[in-house]
Amino acid sequence: GLVVANGGNVGIGDTDPSEAKLSITGVAASDIGLKIDHDIVDTNALFIDAETTTSIGFDMQSDALTSGSIARFYSNGAADATARNLVLIHNDNPSSTAAFCLKIQQDSQEYAQKIVCSNTTESNGLNIQAGNDANDYPISCSDRAGTTSLFSVNGAGTVLLHKGQLNFPATQNASSDANTLDDYEEGTGGVVVKLGSTVVETAVSDG
Protein backbone atom coordinates (compact mmCIF):
# COMPACT_ATOMS: atom_id res chain seq x y z
CA GLY A 1 0.00 0.00 0.00
CA LEU A 2 0.86 3.69 -0.06
CA VAL A 3 1.78 5.46 3.16
CA VAL A 4 2.29 9.20 3.59
CA ALA A 5 3.92 10.01 6.92
CA ASN A 6 3.42 13.21 8.90
CA GLY A 7 6.72 14.67 7.66
CA GLY A 8 5.75 14.12 4.01
CA ASN A 9 7.74 10.91 3.57
CA VAL A 10 6.12 8.47 1.18
CA GLY A 11 6.27 4.71 1.51
CA ILE A 12 5.27 2.24 -1.19
CA GLY A 13 5.20 -1.16 0.46
CA ASP A 14 6.90 0.47 3.45
CA THR A 15 4.65 1.19 6.42
CA ASP A 16 7.30 3.35 8.12
CA PRO A 17 9.12 5.47 5.51
CA SER A 18 10.87 7.57 8.14
CA GLU A 19 14.35 7.00 6.60
CA ALA A 20 13.61 8.51 3.17
CA LYS A 21 11.34 10.92 1.34
CA LEU A 22 10.43 8.01 -0.94
CA SER A 23 10.85 4.41 0.18
CA ILE A 24 9.90 1.46 -2.04
CA THR A 25 10.03 -2.06 -0.64
CA GLY A 26 8.33 -5.40 -1.20
CA VAL A 27 8.59 -5.27 -5.00
CA ALA A 28 7.07 -8.34 -6.68
CA ALA A 29 9.44 -10.76 -8.40
CA SER A 30 8.31 -9.76 -11.92
CA ASP A 31 8.13 -6.01 -11.28
CA ILE A 32 10.59 -3.15 -11.70
CA GLY A 33 11.22 -1.15 -8.54
CA LEU A 34 11.10 2.24 -10.29
CA LYS A 35 10.33 2.87 -13.97
CA ILE A 36 10.45 6.23 -15.76
CA ASP A 37 9.09 6.39 -19.31
CA HIS A 38 10.14 9.86 -20.45
CA ASP A 39 9.04 10.93 -23.93
CA ILE A 40 9.63 14.69 -23.67
CA VAL A 41 12.45 15.76 -26.04
CA ASP A 42 15.48 17.65 -24.69
CA THR A 43 14.59 17.50 -21.02
CA ASN A 44 16.10 15.38 -18.24
CA ALA A 45 14.36 12.15 -17.40
CA LEU A 46 15.98 12.21 -13.97
CA PHE A 47 17.67 15.13 -12.23
CA ILE A 48 19.37 14.92 -8.84
CA ASP A 49 20.72 18.04 -7.14
CA ALA A 50 22.80 16.74 -4.24
CA GLU A 51 24.61 19.20 -1.95
CA THR A 52 27.02 16.45 -0.97
CA THR A 53 30.38 17.31 0.60
CA THR A 54 31.85 14.21 2.28
CA SER A 55 29.16 11.60 1.55
CA ILE A 56 27.97 9.94 -1.70
CA GLY A 57 25.50 11.68 -3.99
CA PHE A 58 24.32 8.49 -5.73
CA ASP A 59 24.90 5.08 -4.19
CA MET A 60 24.06 1.86 -6.07
CA GLN A 61 24.71 -1.40 -4.24
CA SER A 62 24.30 -4.84 -5.85
CA ASP A 63 25.77 -7.40 -3.45
CA ALA A 64 23.97 -10.43 -4.95
CA LEU A 65 25.44 -9.93 -8.42
CA THR A 66 26.66 -13.00 -10.36
CA SER A 67 26.59 -12.73 -14.18
CA GLY A 68 24.62 -9.48 -14.42
CA SER A 69 25.73 -5.85 -14.31
CA ILE A 70 25.39 -3.08 -11.75
CA ALA A 71 24.58 -0.46 -14.39
CA ARG A 72 23.88 -0.34 -18.11
CA PHE A 73 24.08 2.73 -20.34
CA TYR A 74 22.65 1.93 -23.77
CA SER A 75 22.09 4.03 -26.87
CA ASN A 76 20.82 3.25 -30.35
CA GLY A 77 20.56 6.87 -31.43
CA ALA A 78 20.93 8.68 -34.72
CA ALA A 79 23.07 6.87 -37.30
CA ASP A 80 25.17 9.87 -38.24
CA ALA A 81 28.47 11.52 -37.39
CA THR A 82 27.03 13.92 -34.80
CA ALA A 83 29.52 14.18 -31.92
CA ARG A 84 28.10 12.92 -28.62
CA ASN A 85 29.22 11.63 -25.24
CA LEU A 86 27.26 8.61 -24.06
CA VAL A 87 28.63 9.17 -20.57
CA LEU A 88 30.00 12.55 -19.47
CA ILE A 89 31.88 13.15 -16.21
CA HIS A 90 32.83 16.79 -15.81
CA ASN A 91 34.84 18.40 -13.01
CA ASP A 92 34.12 22.08 -13.65
CA ASN A 93 36.45 23.54 -11.03
CA PRO A 94 40.09 23.92 -12.18
CA SER A 95 41.15 24.49 -8.57
CA SER A 96 39.99 20.99 -7.56
CA THR A 97 43.47 19.63 -8.27
CA ALA A 98 42.99 16.42 -6.26
CA ALA A 99 39.64 15.45 -7.80
CA PHE A 100 39.70 12.31 -9.97
CA CYS A 101 36.93 12.23 -12.58
CA LEU A 102 36.77 8.45 -12.46
CA LYS A 103 38.22 5.99 -9.97
CA ILE A 104 38.00 2.22 -10.44
CA GLN A 105 38.99 0.02 -7.51
CA GLN A 106 39.44 -3.63 -8.42
CA ASP A 107 39.95 -5.98 -5.45
CA SER A 108 40.00 -9.10 -7.66
CA GLN A 109 42.86 -10.32 -9.87
CA GLU A 110 40.95 -9.55 -13.09
CA TYR A 111 41.60 -6.43 -15.16
CA ALA A 112 40.08 -3.26 -13.73
CA GLN A 113 39.02 -2.06 -17.19
CA LYS A 114 38.10 -3.81 -20.42
CA ILE A 115 37.44 -2.04 -23.73
CA VAL A 116 35.74 -3.99 -26.53
CA CYS A 117 35.44 -2.32 -29.95
CA SER A 118 33.28 -4.35 -32.34
CA ASN A 119 33.41 -2.12 -35.41
CA THR A 120 35.15 -4.24 -38.06
CA THR A 121 35.77 -1.33 -40.46
CA GLU A 122 37.64 1.06 -38.17
CA SER A 123 38.02 0.45 -34.47
CA ASN A 124 39.66 2.86 -32.01
CA GLY A 125 39.94 1.75 -28.41
CA LEU A 126 41.23 4.72 -26.44
CA ASN A 127 41.77 8.41 -27.16
CA ILE A 128 43.40 10.65 -24.55
CA GLN A 129 43.45 14.38 -25.17
CA ALA A 130 45.80 15.85 -22.57
CA GLY A 131 49.28 17.29 -22.20
CA ASN A 132 51.09 20.19 -23.81
CA ASP A 133 54.77 19.73 -22.94
CA ALA A 134 57.26 17.54 -21.10
CA ASN A 135 55.86 18.63 -17.73
CA ASP A 136 52.44 17.06 -18.46
CA TYR A 137 51.72 13.33 -18.32
CA PRO A 138 48.66 12.22 -20.33
CA ILE A 139 49.54 8.62 -19.43
CA SER A 140 51.13 7.58 -16.15
CA CYS A 141 51.33 4.08 -14.69
CA SER A 142 52.51 3.23 -11.18
CA ASP A 143 52.66 0.16 -8.96
CA ARG A 144 49.72 -1.04 -6.87
CA ALA A 145 50.72 1.08 -3.89
CA GLY A 146 50.91 4.17 -6.08
CA THR A 147 54.41 4.99 -4.84
CA THR A 148 56.65 3.82 -7.71
CA SER A 149 56.28 5.04 -11.30
CA LEU A 150 56.51 2.27 -13.91
CA PHE A 151 56.15 4.16 -17.19
CA SER A 152 54.62 7.35 -18.51
CA VAL A 153 54.12 9.35 -21.68
CA ASN A 154 54.60 13.10 -21.38
CA GLY A 155 52.95 15.88 -23.34
CA ALA A 156 55.95 16.11 -25.68
CA GLY A 157 55.34 12.53 -26.85
CA THR A 158 58.29 11.00 -24.99
CA VAL A 159 57.86 7.50 -23.52
CA LEU A 160 59.55 7.27 -20.13
CA LEU A 161 60.49 3.83 -18.80
CA HIS A 162 60.98 4.57 -15.11
CA LYS A 163 62.10 0.99 -14.37
CA GLY A 164 64.56 1.18 -17.26
CA GLN A 165 63.61 -2.03 -19.07
CA LEU A 166 62.05 -2.74 -22.47
CA ASN A 167 61.43 -6.37 -23.37
CA PHE A 168 61.33 -7.80 -26.90
CA PRO A 169 60.11 -11.33 -27.76
CA ALA A 170 62.67 -14.09 -28.21
CA THR A 171 61.65 -14.39 -31.87
CA GLN A 172 61.86 -11.13 -33.76
CA ASN A 173 58.66 -9.70 -35.25
CA ALA A 174 60.46 -7.97 -38.10
CA SER A 175 59.22 -4.69 -39.51
CA SER A 176 59.87 -3.39 -43.02
CA ASP A 177 59.78 0.17 -41.71
CA ALA A 178 63.30 1.49 -41.24
CA ASN A 179 62.10 3.77 -38.44
CA THR A 180 60.57 0.96 -36.37
CA LEU A 181 62.62 -0.65 -33.59
CA ASP A 182 61.68 -4.32 -33.69
CA ASP A 183 64.54 -6.19 -31.99
CA TYR A 184 67.23 -5.83 -29.36
CA GLU A 185 69.35 -8.42 -27.57
CA GLU A 186 72.21 -8.28 -25.11
CA GLY A 187 74.98 -10.85 -24.88
CA THR A 188 78.71 -11.49 -24.93
CA GLY A 189 80.54 -12.08 -28.21
CA GLY A 190 84.04 -12.00 -29.60
CA VAL A 191 85.34 -10.06 -32.62
CA VAL A 192 88.54 -11.17 -34.34
CA VAL A 193 90.19 -8.94 -36.96
CA LYS A 194 92.65 -10.64 -39.36
CA LEU A 195 94.94 -9.28 -42.00
CA GLY A 196 95.60 -12.29 -44.14
CA SER A 197 96.57 -15.04 -41.70
CA THR A 198 97.70 -12.60 -39.02
CA VAL A 199 95.41 -11.72 -36.15
CA VAL A 200 95.47 -7.95 -35.85
CA GLU A 201 93.03 -7.44 -32.98
CA THR A 202 90.74 -9.46 -30.71
CA ALA A 203 87.93 -7.72 -28.89
CA VAL A 204 85.16 -8.86 -26.60
CA SER A 205 81.93 -6.94 -26.57
CA ASP A 206 79.09 -7.12 -24.04
CA GLY A 207 75.80 -5.64 -25.21
Side-chain angles (χ1 to χ4, degrees):
L2 178 66
V3 174
V4 180
N6 291 333
N9 291 15
V10 177
I12 301 177
D14 186 356
T15 58
D16 182 19
S18 57
E19 75 282 359
K21 278 299 177 184
L22 175 60
S23 177
I24 303 174
T25 62
V27 180
S30 59
D31 289 346
I32 298 174
L34 178 63
K35 179 180 179 181
I36 301 175
D37 188 357
H38 184 73
D39 297 324
I40 308 302
V41 178
D42 295 332
T43 59
N44 297 329
L46 178 64
F47 176 78
I48 300 175
D49 184 6
E51 304 300 326
T52 305
T53 56
T54 59
S55 59
I56 300 173
F58 180 80
D59 189 358
M60 177 68 183
Q61 299 184 18
S62 185
D63 293 335
L65 191 67
T66 54
S67 59
S69 301
I70 295 178
R72 179 183 185 229
F73 300 92
Y74 173 80
S75 173
N76 189 15
D80 56 35
T82 303
R84 70 200 80 173
N85 299 304
L86 298 187
V87 178
L88 173 63
I89 302 174
H90 183 190
N91 174 26
D92 197 25
N93 190 341
S95 298
S96 299
T97 56
F100 291 92
C101 284
L102 178 63
K103 177 182 177 181
I104 302 174
Q105 179 174 328
Q106 169 64 292
D107 292 337
S108 175
Q109 63 182 5
E110 188 53 276
Y111 290 107
Q113 182 177 357
K114 180 180 181 180
I115 299 176
V116 178
C117 300
S118 57
N119 190 319
T120 58
T121 303
E122 182 177 353
S123 184
N124 301 311
L126 184 64
N127 178 23
I128 300 176
Q129 298 180 13
N132 295 311
D133 52 41
N135 296 319
D136 299 327
Y137 296 93
I139 300 176
S140 180
C141 179
S142 63
D143 64 353
R144 182 169 52 186
T147 56
T148 303
S149 296
L150 302 179
F151 78 90
S152 60
V153 180
N154 65 23
T158 303
V159 178
L160 306 173
L161 303 176
H162 301 289
K163 301 294 287 186
Q165 294 183 350
L166 180 64
N167 182 264
F168 286 87
T171 301
Q172 181 189 21
N173 181 19
S175 172
S176 59
D177 183 5
N179 296 315
T180 299
L181 179 63
D182 57 19
D183 195 20
Y184 176 79
E185 187 171 349
E186 293 184 355
T188 301
V191 179
V192 178
V193 180
K194 287 186 177 182
L195 182 60
S197 61
T198 303
V199 176
V200 178
E201 182 180 359
T202 302
V204 176
S205 63
D206 186 3

